[in-house]
């Protein structure tokens, strides 16, 4: 049953006078389907009214509304906003409300314009992204980071002119990667990696970019030089016991952490788990769309399966979404984000009184535990789904007992 959202007269008048008025009713229904509370729906409708008032002042056409218009509203109008009371000025609320508005307009067939999408740079980035996704199988997060760097590179070199790699010099590549200010080795490596990826794409497109690739500065990095931080068995047990304390979404947090500790999953892999991926009869779980686009099948330990089953039976809200781990607050019917997994782990660290900040520690600990149990390196690589044994070899350095057995005496030391 649809309930009308009652707002104060000024926001209602703004809505009625704007080009968004025909969609306000659909917007309210959209929020109600997502099971937002009535108070939140009222706030979001007032946010849309504020945006609609600004669109009217700026004389926007409906077809010109898109992410670019939203960003301009938030970055240009909001800091200097002088709209009269009771205007909504919370950037967080406005960003969330307008995100839903774009969904409603898109679902209704309104052509939302992205200023960059049809530009020369936008078309180039679209082709680059499709190549990264379809040919190399790179994850969305990696593609997003690479697109951001390459966009800056293309704008700096070409603006809105056609992309012609013959006009790019090795010196300009080096200057871009190093930056105007002194960058950290990590930043240089990230920027250089994105540019190297783009140059490989251009090379496959027929451009001669070998000299440009060779000009990319390489930050000093000794592969496998560092030691991965791991948890001891006692620390793992302490972390798991911290989830016995009552707190909101406790069973979801516990089940997610068991997936990290028992299966060695990444946070991004935990949120992609689907109900259809668990074979309860065989005691296995499918990993689909993981890093590198691989599909793997792992045994599902009893304790992990029990934690997932308890969450599904006792805490997971009613939803049509097939993801195992879903949101517990509106908007419902959506999977959680990897950040929710990280928050669950860090909260567990705090309950243990630790100052650790890394979630990947749990994945390292899986490898260390297998190594101490005598598992061969190939088995560890299979569990962690490493393509190369060299990637797993770093964990051999954390087994100090075995290293001590083969260590040679220091030259000149007492024998």
């Amino acid at each position: 049953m649809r309930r009308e959202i009652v707002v104060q007269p000024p926001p209602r008048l703004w809505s009625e006078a704007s080009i968004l008025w025909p969609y306000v009713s659909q917007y309210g229904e959209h929020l109600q389907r997502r099971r937002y509370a009535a108070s939140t729906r009222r706030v979001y409708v007032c946010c849309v009214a504020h945006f609609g008032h600004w669109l009217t002042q700026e004389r926007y056409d409906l077809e010109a509304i898109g992410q670019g218009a939203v960003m301009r509203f938030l970055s240009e109008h909001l800091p200097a906003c002088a709209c009269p009371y009771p205007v909504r000025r919370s950037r967080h609320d406005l960003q969330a409300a307008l995100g839903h508005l774009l969904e409603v307009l898109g679902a209704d067939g309104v052509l939302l314009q992205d200023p960059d999408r049809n530009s020369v740079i936008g078309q180039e980035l679209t082709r680059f992204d499709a190549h990264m996704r379809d040919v190399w199988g790179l994850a969305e997060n990696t593609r997003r980071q690479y697109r951001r760097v390459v966009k800056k590179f293309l704008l700096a070199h070409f603006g809105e002119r056609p992309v012609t790699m013959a006009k790019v010099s090795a010196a300009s590549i080096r200057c871009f990667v190093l930056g105007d200010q002194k960058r950290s080795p990590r930043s240089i490596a990230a920027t250089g990696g994105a540019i190297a990826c783009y140059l490989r794409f251009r090379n496959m497109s027929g451009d001669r970019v070998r000299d440009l690739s060779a000009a990319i500065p390489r930050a000093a990095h000794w592969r496998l030089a560092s030691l991965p931080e791991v948890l001891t068995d006692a620390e793992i047990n302490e972390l798991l016991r911290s989830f016995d304390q009552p707190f909101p979404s406790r069973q979801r947090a516990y089940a997610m952490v068991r997936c990290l500790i028992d299966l060695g999953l990444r946070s991004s892999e935990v949120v992609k788990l689907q109900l259809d991926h668990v074979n309860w009869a065989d005691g296995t779980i499918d990993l689909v769309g993981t890093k590198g686009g691989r599909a793997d099948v792992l045994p599902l330990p009893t304790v992990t399966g029990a934690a997932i089953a308890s969450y599904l039976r006792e805490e997971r809200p009613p939803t049509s979404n097939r993801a195992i781990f879903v949101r517990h607050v509106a908007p419902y019917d959506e999977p959680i984000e990897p950040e929710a997994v990280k928050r669950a782990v860090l909260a567990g660290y705090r309950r243990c009184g630790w100052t650790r900040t890394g979630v990947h520690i749990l994945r390292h600990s899986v490898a260390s535990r297998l190594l101490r149990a005598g598992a061969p390196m190939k088995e560890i690589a299979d569990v962690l789904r490493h393509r190369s044994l060299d990637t797993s070899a770093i964990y051999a350095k954390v087994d100090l007992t075995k290293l001590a057995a083969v260590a040679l005496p220091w030259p000149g030391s007492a024998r």
Side-chain angles (χ1 to χ4, degrees):
M1 176 180 179
R2 185 174 70 84
R3 299 178 181 176
E4 185 178 358
I5 301 174
V6 179
V7 298
Q8 293 167 296
R12 182 178 179 86
L13 291 174
W14 287 352
S15 292
E16 291 177 349
S18 77
I19 55 177
L20 299 178
W21 177 244
Y23 302 94
V24 171
S25 178
Q26 293 172 241
Y27 183 76
E29 294 172 4
H30 168 85
L31 295 179
Q32 188 166 347
R33 284 195 303 272
R34 298 290 189 92
R35 289 182 274 175
Y36 277 96
S39 58
T40 304
R41 299 202 302 270
R42 186 178 302 109
V43 167
Y44 282 7
V45 167
C46 289
C47 288
V48 170
H50 186 188
F51 183 56
H53 180 59
W54 176 78
L55 291 174
T56 301
Q57 291 180 323
E58 295 294 313
R59 305 188 180 207
Y60 264 82
D61 294 327
L62 188 63
E63 293 76 14
I65 302 174
Q67 190 62 43
V70 170
M71 293 308 298
R72 183 171 170 239
F73 171 75
L74 295 174
S75 61
E76 296 180 13
H77 170 74
L78 194 58
C81 176
C83 298
Y85 177 85
V87 69
R88 303 294 308 190
R89 292 195 179 92
S90 167
R91 185 182 180 92
H92 175 77
D93 289 341
L94 285 164
Q95 203 158 11
L98 299 183
H100 288 293
L101 175 66
L102 296 185
E103 286 187 43
V104 170
L105 294 176
D108 197 67
V110 176
L111 180 61
L112 303 177
Q113 295 294 326
D114 183 347
D116 294 330
R117 182 175 300 170
N118 296 321
S119 67
V120 173
I121 302 300
Q123 292 175 7
E124 177 70 2
L125 290 173
T126 299
R127 290 191 293 269
F128 177 49
D129 184 64
H131 187 90
M132 289 191 292
R133 182 190 64 237
D134 301 335
V135 179
W136 295 330
L138 298 185
E140 168 59 28
N141 188 49
T142 303
R143 302 199 321 266
R144 186 185 306 114
Q145 294 175 14
Y146 284 5
R147 287 197 306 267
R148 183 168 60 248
V149 173
V150 172
K151 180 178 180 180
K152 292 180 180 178
F153 171 78
L154 295 177
L155 288 174
H157 285 80
F158 304 107
E160 288 303 313
R161 301 186 303 276
V163 176
T164 308
M165 297 307 296
K167 296 182 180 180
V168 179
S169 67
S172 67
I173 290 280
R174 182 177 179 81
C175 181
F176 178 83
V177 173
L178 294 177
D180 295 331
Q181 299 177 350
K182 188 176 180 180
R183 284 178 171 166
S184 66
R186 185 174 181 178
S187 178
I188 292 173
T191 304
I195 298 303
C197 186
Y198 176 68
L199 292 179
R200 286 197 299 272
F201 162 69
R202 294 299 306 195
N203 180 66
M204 296 183 70
S205 301
D207 290 325
R208 294 184 176 182
V209 293
R210 182 173 300 178
D211 291 343
L212 298 181
S213 297
I216 298 176
R218 311 292 179 183
H221 174 66
W222 288 268
R223 193 167 181 266
L224 306 181
S226 61
L227 283 174
E229 184 181 2
V230 299
L231 300 182
T232 64
D233 291 342
E235 288 174 324
I236 290 175
N237 291 333
E238 182 182 357
L239 177 61
L240 291 174
R241 285 195 300 271
S242 76
F243 290 88
D244 294 338
Q245 306 173 27
F247 57 86
S249 304
R250 181 189 69 83
Q251 289 179 302
R252 184 184 71 180
Y254 177 69
M256 293 190 303
V257 171
R258 288 241 64 130
C259 289
L260 298 172
I261 289 177
D262 301 333
L263 300 174
L265 300 188
R266 304 174 178 91
S267 298
S268 58
E269 294 169 342
V270 171
V271 302
K272 290 180 181 178
L273 293 176
Q274 301 280 312
L275 295 173
D276 303 323
H277 293 168
V278 182
N279 189 325
W280 298 103
D282 294 342
T284 61
I285 188 165
D286 298 334
L287 302 181
V288 180
T290 59
K291 188 175 181 179
R294 296 174 53 180
D296 300 278
V297 180
L298 292 179
L300 182 64
T302 302
V303 289
T304 317
I308 293 174
S310 295
Y311 164 66
L312 295 177
R313 288 195 305 264
E314 301 170 16
E315 193 178 83
R316 187 175 185 266
T319 173
S320 60
N321 196 287
R322 300 299 292 173
I324 290 179
F325 301 110
V326 295
R327 292 174 58 92
H328 290 185
V329 295
Y332 293 91
D333 299 324
E334 290 187 7
I336 58 173
E337 296 292 330
E339 191 63 28
V341 183
K342 181 178 180 179
R343 287 196 298 268
V345 175
L346 297 186
Y349 291 168
R350 289 193 296 271
R351 290 193 297 273
C352 293
W354 302 342
T355 57
R356 292 183 170 97
T357 59
V359 176
H360 227 57
I361 297 173
L362 303 184
R363 183 170 164 86
H364 294 325
S365 301
V366 172
S368 177
R369 191 165 65 247
L370 289 172
L371 188 64
R372 291 197 303 271
M377 199 59 67
K378 176 64 169 65
E379 183 177 319
I380 296 174
D382 288 342
V383 170
L384 298 183
R385 286 150 288 114
H386 288 156
R387 291 184 175 182
S388 170
L389 286 177
D390 286 344
T391 308
S392 305
I394 189 174
Y395 299 108
K397 296 191 295 185
V398 301
D399 193 340
L400 300 181
T401 302
K402 292 183 178 178
L403 285 176
V406 298
L408 295 174
W410 188 259
S413 63
R415 296 180 181 272

